[in-house]
């Protein structure tokens, strides 16, 4: 698990919350808690109890962000666990008023990109297929779920437009503005033109709704950045706060575009083929998987630059991710590197 950060273990409010949730789950009361490093939008704590450690997760909330992070994660993990899928933490108890959840503690560490093997990719594919075994529950749409090509385009368009006005108090904001105006916006304009041209060639109507049987249950923000591997090589997938019903093309694109533990684009086509077979994807869904990769490279560039938005700064402050100026400089470098990947996959 991620290395712990020092925290005031006598925090009465947090311990009281943890004790209520462990009692609800029928577990011994925790004696102490320690803040875990690595939470990007939430606060995650390791609880120490007589029968072993547990995890307490407190979810970020803000009036400007209506997403139900706890509801999405709890519903998705509960569904997976009910189907016998053990590649996720066990959901034990939750408190919606406090926006907190109690989960089993997962021993393991993060993978690096250099360690990724075809076996790890196959494990990710099998997880998606297992979660989507029929019958599927009627989960709510995932965060920024898209059910037409037009919605995919509009989602990226909104994120690019949002970056036109950045928070002047954020470190390195001048460089961020330059990156957005000189590189991000022109790159998006070219990528969007390519998507429109490709959709026309494939005979795909932009506003045509994706049929219900072509939706999937998506972990969302899915990738090895949200996974731990133990000493036996078992992968456990984490962080489903954006999960729900969605277009498989978005799942595929997010998996290959998330920047923290990049998955080689060389297996992009294999991933699509396995989902096509396992989920019964039609020709239109397969075409969207191929057409939308550049759009999601740009979307992830926007996500990387979220720290320069007021809401992004608020989320990071809640999660306490460390030195602000250094992080912003690093995010700028990541955004530039991500933009360079647009057009890297020339799959027809």
């Amino acid at each position: 698990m991620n290395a712990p950060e020092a925290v005031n273990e006598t925090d009465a409010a947090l311990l009281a919350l943890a004790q209520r949730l462990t009692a609800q789950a029928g577990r011994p009361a925790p004696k102490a808690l320690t803040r875990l490093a690595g939470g990007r939008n939430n606060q995650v704590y390791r609880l120490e109890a007589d029968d072993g450690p547990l995890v307490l997760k407190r979810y970020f909330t803000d009036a400007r962000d209506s997403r139900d992070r706890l509801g999405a994660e709890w519903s998705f993990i509960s569904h997976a666990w009910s189907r016998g899928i053990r590649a996720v933490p066990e959901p034990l108890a939750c408190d919606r008023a406090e926006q907190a959840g109690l989960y089993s503690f997962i021993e393991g560490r993060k993978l690096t990109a250099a360690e990724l093997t075809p076996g790890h990719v196959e494990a990710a594919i099998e997880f998606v297929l297992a979660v989507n075994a029929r019958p599927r529950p009627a989960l709510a749409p995932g965060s920024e779920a898209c059910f037409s090509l037009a919605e995919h385009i509009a989602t990226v368009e909104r994120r690019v437009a949002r970056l036109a006005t950045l928070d002047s108090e954020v470190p390195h904001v001048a460089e961020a503005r330059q990156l957005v105006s000189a590189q991000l916006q022109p790159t998006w304009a070219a990528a969007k033109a390519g998507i429109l041209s490709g959709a026309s060639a494939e005979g795909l109507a932009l506003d045509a709704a994706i049929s219900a049987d072509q939706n999937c249950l998506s972990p969302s923000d899915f990738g090895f950045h949200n996974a731990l591997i133990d000493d036996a090589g078992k992968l456990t997938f984490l962080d489903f706060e954006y999960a729900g019903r969605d277009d498989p093309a978005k799942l595929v694109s997010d998996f290959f575009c998330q920047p923290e533990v990049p998955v080689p684009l060389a297996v992009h086509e294999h991933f699509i083929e396995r989902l096509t077979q396992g989920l019964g994807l039609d020709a239109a869904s397969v075409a969207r998987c191929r057409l939308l990769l550049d759009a999601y490279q740009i979307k992830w560039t926007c996500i990387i630059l979220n720290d320069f938005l007021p809401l992004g700064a608020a989320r990071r402050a809640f999660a306490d991710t460390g030195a602000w100026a250094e992080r912003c400089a690093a995010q700028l470098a990541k955004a530039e590197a991500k933009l360079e990947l647009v057009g890297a996959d020339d799959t027809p």
Side-chain angles (χ1 to χ4, degrees), residues 114-137:
E115 293 178 283
L116 287 184
T117 68
H120 297 135
V121 175
E122 289 300 321
I125 294 169
E126 292 298 335
F127 173 66
V128 171
L129 297 181
V131 167
N132 278 279
R134 297 181 187 274
R136 300 173 190 162

Side-chain angles (χ1 to χ4, degrees), residues 252-270:
V252 172
S253 298
D254 281 335
F255 185 77
F256 283 91
C257 293
Q258 58 79 21
E260 291 186 42
V261 188
V263 181
L265 289 175
V267 295
H268 183 242
E269 191 63 23
H270 172 71

Side-chain angles (χ1 to χ4, degrees), residues 23-43:
Q24 183 181 329
R27 298 295 185 96
K31 299 175 180 178
L33 55 83
T34 306
R35 179 76 177 271
L36 295 174
R40 292 165 297 164
N41 299 316
N42 306 298
Q43 296 173 351

Side-chain angles (χ1 to χ4, degrees), residues 273-347:
E273 289 172 357
R274 291 279 279 113
L275 291 197
T276 299
Q277 296 165 1
L279 302 181
L281 300 186
D282 61 18
S285 292
V286 172
R288 287 194 309 278
C289 288
R290 293 170 176 158
L291 277 174
L292 289 167
L293 186 65
D294 280 349
Y296 279 82
Q297 297 285 24
I298 291 165
K299 178 185 171 182
W300 274 92
T301 304
C302 294
I303 292 171
I304 291 167
L305 293 171
N306 271 349
D307 285 61
F308 295 92
L309 298 171
L311 182 58
R315 281 204 312 274
R316 302 307 184 205
F318 178 80
D320 187 20
T321 54
W324 199 13
E326 289 85 349
R327 176 182 170 84
C328 288
Q331 293 302 92
L332 274 174
K334 288 179 184 178
E336 291 176 348
K338 174 58 65 176
L339 277 179
E340 291 177 0
L341 294 176
V342 175
D345 183 13
D346 58 0
T347 300

Side-chain angles (χ1 to χ4, degrees), residues 44-330:
V44 185
Y45 300 88
R46 173 177 169 142
L47 307 181
E48 304 296 344
D50 289 340
D51 64 345
L54 297 172
V55 164
L56 172 69
K57 188 171 182 178
R58 295 183 64 220
Y59 295 82
F60 175 77
T61 59
D62 190 284
R64 297 164 292 181
D65 187 341
S66 62
R67 286 178 286 198
D68 181 7
R69 289 174 165 81
L70 167 61
E73 179 152 57
W74 187 262
S75 295
F76 187 87
I77 291 185
S78 296
H79 159 64
W81 200 262
S82 73
R83 295 291 179 86
I85 299 169
R86 297 298 181 258
V88 297
E90 181 180 4
L92 299 171
C94 68
D95 186 327
R96 295 191 180 276
E98 293 287 345
Q99 285 294 293
L102 181 71
Y103 304 95
S104 61
F105 183 86
I106 303 300
E107 296 285 356
R109 62 176 180 82
K110 291 287 185 75
L111 279 167
T112 66
E115 293 178 283
L116 287 184
T117 68
H120 297 135
V121 175
E122 289 300 321
I125 294 169
E126 292 298 335
F127 173 66
V128 171
L129 297 181
V131 167
N132 278 279
R134 297 181 187 274
R136 300 173 190 162
L139 296 190
S143 177
E144 290 190 320
C146 296
F147 300 109
S148 71
L149 264 176
E151 289 182 5
H152 284 284
I153 293 170
T155 294
V156 182
E157 195 95 80
R158 282 192 300 271
R159 283 190 174 270
V160 173
R162 197 182 305 163
L163 291 171
T165 305
L166 302 181
D167 187 340
S168 60
E169 299 299 316
V170 177
H172 304 290
V173 68
E175 298 99 308
R177 289 188 179 121
Q178 176 66 17
L179 177 66
V180 169
S181 62
Q183 297 183 51
L184 177 62
Q185 291 171 341
T187 302
W188 168 233
K192 181 168 64 172
I195 294 168
L196 296 177
S197 174
S200 176
E202 294 283 348
L204 301 179
L206 295 182
D207 293 322
I210 299 167
S211 62
D213 71 323
Q214 291 296 301
N215 293 176
C216 73
L217 297 184
S218 172
S220 203
D221 194 10
F222 183 50
F224 297 108
H225 62 304
N226 282 332
L228 295 174
I229 190 166
D230 67 15
D231 290 341
K234 179 183 180 291
L235 279 169
T236 300
F237 297 99
L238 311 168
D239 292 342
F240 305 105
E241 61 197 69
Y242 303 134
R245 288 188 296 108
D246 213 333
D247 181 1
K250 182 164 168 286
L251 185 159
V252 172
S253 298
D254 281 335
F255 185 77
F256 283 91
C257 293
Q258 58 79 21
E260 291 186 42
V261 188
V263 181
L265 289 175
V267 295
H268 183 242
E269 191 63 23
H270 172 71
F271 197 97
I272 295 171
E273 289 172 357
R274 291 279 279 113
L275 291 197
T276 299
Q277 296 165 1
L279 302 181
L281 300 186
D282 61 18
S285 292
V286 172
R288 287 194 309 278
C289 288
R290 293 170 176 158
L291 277 174
L292 289 167
L293 186 65
D294 280 349
Y296 279 82
Q297 297 285 24
I298 291 165
K299 178 185 171 182
W300 274 92
T301 304
C302 294
I303 292 171
I304 291 167
L305 293 171
N306 271 349
D307 285 61
F308 295 92
L309 298 171
L311 182 58
R315 281 204 312 274
R316 302 307 184 205
F318 178 80
D320 187 20
T321 54
W324 199 13
E326 289 85 349
R327 176 182 170 84
C328 288

